[in-house]
Amino acid sequence: SKMTVKAVKMPCTSANVYTKVPDGGWGWTVAFAFFVVEALTYGIIKSFGVFFNDLMDSFDETNSRISWIISICVFVQTFTAPLSTVLSNRFGHRLVVMAGGLLVSSGMVIASFARSVVDMYVTIGIVSGLGYCLSFLPTVTILSQYFDKRRSLVTAVASTGECFAVFSFAPAITALKEQIGWRYSMLSVGVLQLGITACGSLLRPIVIREQEEVKAQPPEESTETKYMLENEQTCTSIESIDSGVDITTSPSNVPGKTKAEPKSEEPKHHGQNPVDNNSTPPEPKTKLLDFSVMRDYSFICYAFFGLFATLGFFAPSLYIIPLSRSLGIGKDHSAYILSAMAIAEVFGRIFAGWLLNKKPIRKIYIELICVILLSVALVAFPFASGFWGLMICSVYFGFMLGTVAGTHIPLLAEDDVVGIERMSSAAGVYVFIQSLAGLAGPPLAGVLVDTTKNYSSAFYSCAAGMVLGAMFLALVRPCKTGLCHHQQQQQQQQQVEESTAGPPPELPDDFIDMDIGKAENSGKGSDSV
């Protein structure tokens, strides 16, 4: 079977139609777009720590209040994930990502003119946060649709965009602030984020159609001939019984239990083409958001894993520079530590993608091992001292963070969680559940820092959340195969029994009369006796 590729013109979009997942083709362009979108979304969020001390000095605010900027941004980004899914299913991924790019850029540009931290909450927290959601989630979803066998590797490599962004943006913004100040530096970042809109224009939708062309429909003449032959056979069989039923050649007038019903009527119930070639089959309605994934116990456990693991995703990169400054490390060397973390994350993402691309391997278990090692990395930060101690911890943390951050959303497409068919809706619900941790994570760490006067407490809170996430991740596979498998088997057996039982056999019209007659005769015989 050959893989056909043809463009189908649609309103405002042109879709690529394939008979199977291409594992390449235009997917490489989509992978490049995802690389840039990652750099301009999560790369900027993780690099926001370079503005941390400047905002504290300019607005005379505490750690926790400044932390709410990124906290609100991450919360809005994750809380509006179902909205992103609905809009993508309704208007397409391309328009949604382009609109998200405009929101991200507008929020960052307006934030450069903010006069209070509350202005930052609205501009970066709400406006840019919504733009981040509309930009990131549709891009990673459509990228997963373009790849199958190479999905893990391609997604992991493309997701390194945020790592390269942190590696390059952190020193660049730090140097730029020395020249033009933090406000014009933030303005420049906002203008740069307009590139998300250009990347959104590259996201051509993909349509996977089964090989309908191979199963050619018989010509209309042969279908009509088959009707006539079947009806002739039916008329003959019924006339031999002398039932007195008038049979016509119309298939609609044939009783349902006879063989005169054409076989071509059955595909209407299976979504195939009807007999009339001039009429188009009704396309199945696509659900804008499928909440049925919430009935899957394995997905629920995976969602709780994402909820607690999110506590350890953003706070370390946000507090690594203040931690290094508290240890007496200079600004330049602090930026180098953040850049080293980003470089290590690149190698972690590539390594995880290469490892998960291996066939005889259970990907969910590899993810679990990486999460446990990531928890160890978070615990190691408070014990580091000096520049090289923080550098070693940052490199180790960055590598392990890359193995988890680059794979936890694409793993939704695996059969151990929900599968590729429901990945779009599952991703929206999954990121929505993460919103609570995204909202509470950085402020919780900020409160602990203000209370204990020690940045180590922020890393301890992240480690605690990551350990809880590992516990729920360990339950995903047992819920899929052990705890719920017995119930699913019972449901399948009931469906099979109902389908094989069939309708009860029809009885002749005089069946009751015959039984009554037999009963009366037997009664008379007994009376005579």
Side-chain angles (χ1 to χ4, degrees), residues 79-97 130 133-134 137-138 141 286-291 423-429 432:
F79 186 80
T80 56
L83 174 63
S84 175
T85 300
V86 170
L87 293 177
S88 298
N89 292 334
R90 177 64 179 86
F91 300 103
H93 298 80
R94 172 182 292 175
L95 294 178
V96 174
V97 174
L130 179 60
C133 177
L134 299 182
L137 198 57
T141 301
T286 303
K287 293 183 179 181
L288 296 180
L289 188 61
D290 186 8
F291 278 102
M423 190 218 173
S424 179
S425 295
V429 177
F432 170 77

Side-chain angles (χ1 to χ4, degrees), residues 400-418:
M400 299 314 306
L401 178 64
T403 60
V404 177
T407 56
H408 71 108
I409 292 181
L411 274 182
L412 290 169
E414 299 299 327
D415 293 333
D416 284 339
V417 189
V418 295

Side-chain angles (χ1 to χ4, degrees), residues 80-399:
T80 56
L83 174 63
S84 175
T85 300
V86 170
L87 293 177
S88 298
N89 292 334
R90 177 64 179 86
F91 300 103
H93 298 80
R94 172 182 292 175
L95 294 178
V96 174
V97 174
M98 293 177 68
L102 292 176
L103 288 175
V104 170
S105 178
S106 301
M108 190 65 70
V109 169
I110 299 174
S112 63
F113 300 98
R115 296 301 175 185
S116 66
V117 69
V118 177
D119 297 339
M120 290 281 187
Y121 293 162
V122 176
T123 54
I124 296 180
I126 298 178
V127 179
S128 293
L130 179 60
Y132 286 137
C133 177
L134 299 182
S135 303
F136 171 76
L137 198 57
T139 310
V140 68
T141 301
I142 194 172
L143 177 62
S144 299
Q145 296 173 0
Y146 269 96
F147 292 91
D148 183 16
K149 297 178 181 179
R150 304 173 180 172
R151 183 186 300 133
S152 299
L153 180 60
V154 172
T155 305
V157 174
S159 65
T160 58
E162 69 176 83
C163 309
F164 284 106
V166 175
F167 169 72
S168 57
F169 288 167
I173 296 175
T174 302
L176 192 62
K177 288 192 307 178
E178 301 295 334
Q179 302 295 326
I180 60 177
W182 69 268
R183 290 188 180 274
Y184 287 106
S185 299
M186 189 174 291
L187 176 64
S188 302
V189 171
V191 174
L192 183 64
Q193 287 179 316
L194 280 175
I196 298 175
T197 304
C199 293
S201 63
L202 301 176
L203 304 182
R204 298 177 63 180
I206 179 173
V207 178
I208 305 296
R209 292 180 180 174
E210 298 296 333
Q211 298 177 1
E212 299 177 353
E213 301 176 357
V214 177
K215 299 179 181 179
Q217 295 290 339
E220 187 175 359
E221 293 78 12
S222 62
T223 305
E224 294 179 356
T225 305
K226 184 172 69 174
Y227 288 161
M228 296 176 65
L229 291 175
E230 289 180 351
N231 286 324
E232 287 178 2
Q233 294 175 0
T234 306
C235 289
T236 304
S237 61
I238 296 180
E239 286 174 0
S240 63
I241 303 175
D242 193 15
S243 60
V245 179
D246 186 15
I247 303 295
T248 64
T249 59
S250 174
S252 61
N253 295 330
V254 179
K257 300 303 176 182
T258 63
K259 296 181 179 180
E261 184 177 356
K263 298 179 180 179
S264 58
E265 291 292 330
E266 296 178 0
K268 289 184 178 180
H269 302 284
H270 301 283
Q272 298 179 0
N273 293 331
V275 175
D276 190 1
N277 294 330
N278 295 328
S279 62
T280 58
E283 296 182 356
K285 294 182 179 180
T286 303
K287 293 183 179 181
L288 296 180
L289 188 61
D290 186 8
F291 278 102
S292 64
V293 294
M294 295 299 296
R295 295 195 295 266
D296 194 337
Y297 294 142
S298 61
F299 173 76
I300 294 175
C301 291
Y302 197 82
F304 274 108
F305 150 70
L307 176 68
F308 291 106
T310 305
L311 294 174
F313 283 167
F314 297 100
S317 60
L318 187 64
Y319 282 100
I320 186 63
I321 291 182
L323 176 63
S324 61
R325 295 297 304 275
S326 66
L327 296 177
I329 302 174
K331 293 182 180 180
D332 296 336
H333 289 79
S334 299
Y336 293 152
I337 293 176
L338 189 60
S339 299
M341 181 189 298
I343 295 175
E345 188 176 346
V346 171
F347 289 100
R349 288 173 182 264
I350 296 175
F351 173 76
W354 171 81
L355 185 60
L356 295 179
N357 201 47
K358 299 294 182 181
K359 280 295 182 182
I361 197 171
R362 183 65 64 183
K363 298 180 180 180
I364 201 74
Y365 293 151
I366 299 299
E367 185 81 357
L368 176 60
I369 295 173
C370 294
V371 171
I372 294 174
L373 295 177
L374 182 59
S375 303
V376 176
L378 289 170
V379 176
F381 269 104
F383 299 96
S385 60
F387 173 77
W388 289 108
L390 278 181
M391 178 66 75
I392 294 174
C393 290
S394 298
V395 170
Y396 175 52
F397 171 79
F399 182 86

